[in-house]
Amino acid sequence: MNKGKGLKNGALLLLTAMMGFGIAGCGTTAADKSANTGAAPAPKTEQAAAKTDDKKEDKKLGGKLVVYSAGPKELAESIQKGYEAKTGVKVEMFQGTTGKILARMEAEKANPVVDVVVLASLPSAQGLKKSGLTLEYKNAANADKLVPDWSDKDGHFFGYSASALGIVYNTKQVKTPPKEWSDLAKDEWKGKVNIPDPALSGSALDFITGYLSTKGDGGWELFEQYKKNGVALAGANQEALDPVITGAKSIVAAGVDYMTYQAKAKGEPVDMVYPASGTVISPRPAAILKSSKNQDNAKAFIDYLLSDEAQKMVADTYLLPGRKDVKAKDRASVDQITQMKIDWTWMDTNGDAVTKKFTQMFK
């Protein structure tokens, strides 16, 4: 359960190649019954119309739904089981990073099969919408309770959860943790820091592009200092965290908080700091694809993601719930994390270029 924009060139081809896919229409109309007298059918009463709407809402679902989901694995599986039990729909699930999800979609572009994508980066969903690949769903249940900045106002994607990026450290090796992003360029941390690869981690890309959107070109100086200080590009989020858990490294720069809280709850020697200068909270959006062959099932899946039941699952996984009325569990809440004033539009537009430059810098 873990990018259109901002990932390697292969993912970008997906967006251009899949443009123009039509949306299969759905929906039926019911004819009014009238007496066999040749008279015009009588108009529906409000009560009759309401009954018709109820029947539409209660329409029996069935068949299957194909979902490609970024992690966490246990959350994706819990949501899958809960949705299947509630609807009777069989879910075919592929789990991977946002980069792997988009690469798979590219490989299937001639015959798309996925109905719903759950990504780990808002700009990725923005890119899918911009390329005309997402289906508008304006009447999603509980959408009005979502954090507005995490979702599309036109209903093309829904930020059902979020994670924040911070400085993750091994508590056995680090007694006085660094407090700011710039601290990681100091000699005491030379060769001891990992950073996730923005080509594989949507949240890492959100941090890097978010930081640059606030600092401008001058922001590259920090990452140049990281490179000189031996900061290592270490795969996706879990690959960057694991060496810190084992003690092979001391710190993750732009580490994902929910993974840290999960590991800490299991007794691993890790904790994290959110720099006072600000960080990025990375929404995790879900979107229905226009090419979906199971649109009713897909809409029901979005409804389930935003339900009380699924939002509790989100909180239990140490993610930030997407709904404002659902509390985070045993972790810092949104109002306890200082955020940078980032520009999501800039991040979406410049994600590919930033990824290419960053990965070349750290080769």
Side-chain angles (χ1 to χ4, degrees):
M1 285 203 55
N2 229 323
K3 277 185 174 316
K5 279 289 183 179
L7 293 164
K8 289 181 177 178
N9 293 337
L12 180 60
L13 292 175
L14 162 73
L15 305 182
T16 55
M18 291 182 67
M19 287 181 67
F21 272 62
I23 172 173
C26 63
T28 59
T29 58
D32 291 327
K33 292 182 179 180
S34 60
N36 190 20
T37 60
K44 292 181 181 179
T45 64
E46 291 184 7
Q47 184 177 6
K51 287 182 179 179
T52 301
D53 290 341
D54 288 343
K55 288 179 181 178
K56 182 177 181 180
E57 290 173 2
D58 295 338
K59 180 164 53 176
K60 185 173 178 60
L61 301 173
K64 72 173 185 176
L65 183 73
V66 181
V67 179
Y68 292 174
S69 178
K73 181 177 185 290
E74 61 271 27
L75 176 60
E77 291 176 348
S78 295
I79 288 173
Q80 176 181 356
K81 290 176 183 177
Y83 170 78
E84 287 179 337
K86 193 173 186 67
T87 63
V89 174
K90 178 64 177 176
V91 174
E92 296 178 7
M93 176 84 72
F94 167 74
Q95 294 186 52
T97 64
T98 299
K100 289 180 179 179
I101 287 171
L102 292 178
R104 185 176 177 119
M105 291 170 68
E106 178 195 1
E108 297 170 346
K109 62 190 177 186
N111 184 28
V113 297
V114 62
D115 298 301
V116 176
V117 291
V118 182
L119 305 174
S121 172
L122 183 63
S124 300
Q126 289 175 320
L128 291 176
K129 178 191 175 183
K130 184 184 295 184
S131 296
L133 300 178
T134 53
L135 178 71
E136 179 183 290
Y137 180 31
K138 284 206 167 184
N139 298 317
N142 295 308
D144 59 325
K145 299 175 183 176
L146 292 172
V147 178
D149 292 343
W150 297 359
S151 299
D152 177 58
K153 63 181 179 60
D154 297 320
H156 283 263
F157 55 83
F158 303 87
Y160 84 105
S161 66
S163 61
L165 291 306
I167 297 171
V168 180
Y169 62 95
N170 182 299
T171 55
K172 291 182 177 179
Q173 295 183 347
V174 179
K175 300 307 178 184
T176 305
K179 296 181 179 180
E180 284 296 342
W181 303 114
S182 57
D183 291 342
L184 303 182
K186 294 179 178 179
D187 289 342
E188 62 184 299
W189 307 117
K190 190 173 183 67
K192 299 180 179 180
V193 181
N194 278 342
I195 190 168
D197 186 343
L200 298 174
S201 164
S203 54
L205 180 62
D206 284 357
F207 169 75
I208 295 164
T209 54
Y211 184 84
L212 292 170
S213 78
T214 66
K215 303 292 184 180
D217 286 341
W220 283 106
E221 182 179 351
L222 175 68
F223 303 127
E224 290 167 357
Q225 291 172 352
Y226 280 7
K227 174 61 176 177
K228 290 177 183 177
N229 210 39
V231 173
L233 201 63
N237 298 313
Q238 193 66 54
E239 288 79 6
L241 177 61
D242 284 343
V244 174
I245 291 175
T246 63
K249 292 281 186 176
S250 298
I251 289 173
V252 182
V256 179
D257 61 357
Y258 79 86
M259 289 184 174
T260 306
Y261 292 127
Q262 285 180 339
K264 182 179 178 180
K266 294 175 182 177
E268 301 291 0
V270 289
D271 210 335
M272 71 183 306
V273 171
Y274 299 105
S277 60
T279 188
V280 174
I281 291 180
S282 182
R284 304 170 73 82
I288 302 170
L289 277 299
K290 268 189 180 179
S291 55
S292 168
K293 300 177 181 66
N294 304 289
Q295 291 182 10
D296 288 335
N297 293 346
K299 290 176 180 179
F301 187 82
I302 296 296
D303 289 344
Y304 184 72
L305 279 180
L306 308 186
S307 69
D308 293 351
E309 183 173 288
Q311 286 292 293
K312 183 180 183 301
M313 294 177 190
V314 168
D316 288 344
T317 315
Y318 299 97
L319 282 160
L320 292 164
R323 277 175 42 180
K324 296 176 290 184
D325 61 331
V326 179
K327 291 184 178 180
K329 177 183 176 180
D330 299 333
R331 55 151 299 145
S333 59
V334 173
D335 58 4
Q336 294 174 316
I337 302 170
T338 302
Q339 297 182 59
M340 300 176 189
K341 294 182 179 179
I342 59 177
D343 184 343
W344 288 110
T345 301
W346 187 95
M347 293 159 66
D348 174 34
T349 302
N350 292 277
D352 285 329
V354 168
T355 300
K356 182 177 181 180
K357 182 173 180 177
F358 191 93
T359 53
Q360 286 180 341
M361 179 184 294
F362 281 82
K363 280 184 178 179

